[in-house]
């Protein structure tokens, strides 16, 4: 019981403590897989001079937020947007001196999916798998020097597809990533048109990935609201109180993460809790503390207000602790119930 209380106090004290910087957050959350210096391990290398300048902050932030469901890279749903931005800044500190991040247009690539599919089978499947499911295993293989030194990531992955823009995929194919088995396909004899076709094929995986809210594989639950951002925040608070939760605080942020499109503006987070529930869940598994207090984020994207929360069912799968299935199912019902009620 004492352990539970001290954990609970830690969790409650967290928001008051000084915010850890990006380097510290990286050491806590990422170094175990990507290496203290970003040279890779269970995770792919992040510090490569051919990687960092070629991807946007949005790509890095969205990758951290969504993870790669079904692969080893976790979704960091518990980190705030500010924390994610701090980690991104830390990754940027590894950029080669004097280098700049390329600016990519947001223009969609329009290629021939059927041609792209054939080219993919010919040129990419050997490493990325017949359906883009990625190589066997992940990250860097230190122990088997004769295999690929770096395992090809999954491309049909909902987390990857949500984070990567068409132009980012195209740039990766055009330039390759020096220092990895991923070569420039322009140099391998593909034309720019061939590459556009392959990009369109890779993008077509998105439709099959079936990343829908309510699915256990989805790290985030999402629901549209018919109201304005401010009205939705109030409706979420009323609905949470109606379900015996106490509102702890609200926070508004100038949002980095959802700024994949220029139109996006602000996000608002409502934090709430129910001490009985927290106690019960913490007693079962202290890791639950990472996701407390409960929170629902309200965002406006392209004129549409959305409510979002972590998906507790996804967490229960990630934690792999059968005892958590029941509280996670309860929490799932709570989140869905609050969002449904707030959108009535
Ligand atoms: C020889 C093996 C190999 C081949 C062939 C190959 N790739 Fe790769 N690819 C990799 C590896 C390894 C990486 C990871 C590089 C890194 O660590 O940054 C990668 C990275 C990528 C990425 C970036 C993924 C991410 O998570 O950042 C994309 C997109 C990609 N490859 C697409 C393709 C496509 C499309 C083809 C075919 C035209 C192809 N690759 C052919 C090995 C390969
Ligand atoms: C449990 C291991 C693990 C942890 C922890 C982890 N990652 Fe990863 N990460 C991976 C793996 C594995 C991949 C490659 C995905 C694949 O193979 O399909 C990856 C991919 C990535 C990519 C995409 C790289 C590319 O070439 O496009 C980024 C960016 C990334 N991770 C950043 C982070 C950051 C930042 C953290 C900490 C907040 C983190 N990761 C924590 C294992 C991990």
């Amino acid at each position: 019981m004492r352990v539970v209380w001290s954990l609970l106090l830690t969790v409650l004290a967290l928001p008051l403590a000084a915010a850890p910087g990006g380097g510290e957050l990286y050491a806590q959350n990422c170094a175990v897989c990507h290496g203290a210096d970003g040279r890779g391990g269970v995770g792919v290398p992040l510090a490569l001079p051919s990687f960092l300048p070629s991807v946007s902050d949005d790509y890095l932030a969205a990758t951290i937020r969504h993870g790669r469901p079904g692969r080893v890279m976790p979704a960091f749903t518990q980190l705030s947007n500010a924390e994610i931005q701090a980690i991104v800044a830390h990754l940027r500190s590894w950029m080669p001196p004097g280098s700049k991040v390329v600016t990519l247009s947001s223009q969609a690539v329009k290629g021939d999916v059927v041609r792209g599919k054939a080219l993919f089978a010919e040129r990419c499947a050997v490493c990325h798998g017949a359906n883009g499911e990625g190589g066997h295993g992940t990250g860097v293989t230190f122990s088997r020097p004769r295999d690929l030194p770096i395992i090809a990531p999954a491309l049909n992955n909902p987390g990857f597809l949500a984070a990567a823009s068409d132009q980012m995929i195209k740039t990766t194919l055009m330039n390759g990533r020096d220092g990895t088995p991923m070569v420039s396909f322009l140099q391998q004899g593909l034309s720019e048109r061939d590459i556009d076709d392959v990009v369109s094929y890779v993008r077509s995986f998105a439709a099959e990935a079936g990343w829908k809210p309510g699915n256990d594989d989805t790290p985030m639950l999402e629901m549209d609201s018919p109201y304005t951002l401010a009205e939705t925040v109030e409706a979420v608070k009323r609905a949470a109180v109606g379900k015996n939760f106490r509102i702890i605080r609200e926070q508004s942020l100038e949002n980095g993460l959802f700024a994949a499109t220029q139109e996006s503006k602000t996000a608002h987070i409502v934090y709430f809790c129910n001490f009985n529930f927290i106690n019960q869940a913490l007693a079962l598994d202290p890791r639950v503390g990472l996701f407390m207090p409960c929170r629902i984020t309200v965002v406006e994207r392209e004129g549409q207000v959305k409510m979002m929360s972590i998906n507790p069912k996804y967490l229960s799968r990630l934690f792999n602790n059968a005892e958590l299935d029941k509280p996670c199912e309860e929490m799932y019902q709570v989140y869905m119930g609050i969002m449904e009620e707030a959108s009535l």
Side-chain angles (χ1 to χ4, degrees), residues 9 25 28 81 102 113 118 130 147 179 185 195 205 207 251 253 258-259 263 265 273 289 296 326 330 332-333:
L9 291 177
L25 288 165
Q28 284 164 6
N81 292 330
V102 294
V113 176
D147 288 19
F185 280 87
I195 288 178
F205 290 139
Q251 189 180 330
L253 9 139
F258 299 107
E263 301 92 308
K265 291 183 189 70
C273 86
I296 288 182
K326 202 172 147 264
E330 270 176 52
Y332 173 83
Q333 298 298 344

Side-chain angles (χ1 to χ4, degrees), residues 191-234:
S191 67
E192 188 168 347
R193 194 194 135 203
D194 294 335
I195 288 178
D196 284 350
D197 295 346
V198 177
V199 172
S200 299
Y201 176 61
V202 170
R203 183 53 72 199
S204 76
F205 290 139
E208 286 154 40
W211 202 37
K212 292 198 195 73
N215 182 326
D216 286 11
D217 292 336
T218 311
M220 304 293 289
L221 302 173
E222 270 191 38
M223 207 176 284
D224 285 350
S225 162
Y227 306 112
T228 65
L229 192 113
E231 287 165 351
T232 307
V233 169
E234 289 311 310

Side-chain angles (χ1 to χ4, degrees), residues 22-175:
E24 205 177 315
L25 288 165
Y26 179 88
Q28 284 164 6
N29 295 288
C30 325
V32 61
C33 290
H34 291 284
D37 49 6
R39 276 196 280 171
V42 175
V44 290
L46 299 177
L48 286 174
S50 61
F51 172 64
L52 284 175
S54 74
V55 292
S56 65
D57 285 3
D58 283 347
Y59 171 76
L60 295 171
T63 300
I64 299 168
R65 177 64 84 209
H66 300 309
R68 301 272 164 97
R71 301 286 282 180
V72 175
M73 169 75 194
F76 288 88
T77 44
Q78 76 279 20
L79 294 178
S80 70
N81 292 330
E83 287 169 327
I84 288 184
Q85 291 307 330
I87 294 174
V88 169
H90 180 68
L91 301 183
R92 290 289 180 217
S93 72
W94 295 328
M95 295 258 291
S99 63
K100 277 211 301 228
V101 181
V102 294
T103 319
L104 296 176
S105 84
S106 57
Q107 209 176 351
V109 167
K110 291 209 176 65
D112 179 339
V113 176
V114 177
R115 264 195 97 238
K117 183 174 177 163
L119 283 166
F120 188 92
E122 213 175 280
R123 304 284 192 136
C124 323
V126 57
C127 294
H128 288 281
N131 300 303
E133 67 276 20
H136 293 293
T138 53
V140 180
T141 51
F142 293 116
S143 53
R144 286 168 293 145
R146 280 201 279 155
D147 288 19
L148 277 184
I150 303 171
I151 306 294
L155 302 178
N156 71 353
N157 188 277
F160 170 71
L161 292 167
S165 68
D166 285 6
Q167 297 296 338
M168 177 271 185
I169 301 174
K170 180 169 176 174
T171 308
T172 308
L173 297 188
M174 301 278 282
N175 302 338

Side-chain angles (χ1 to χ4, degrees), residues 6 10 25 54 81 108 122 169 178 189 214 238 276 279-280 302-303 313 319 342:
S6 65
T10 315
L25 288 165
S54 74
N81 292 330
E122 213 175 280
I169 301 174
D178 257 357
R238 271 197 307 276
N276 277 335
N279 267 330
Q280 280 169 20
E302 293 159 41
K313 286 206 211 179
F319 284 162

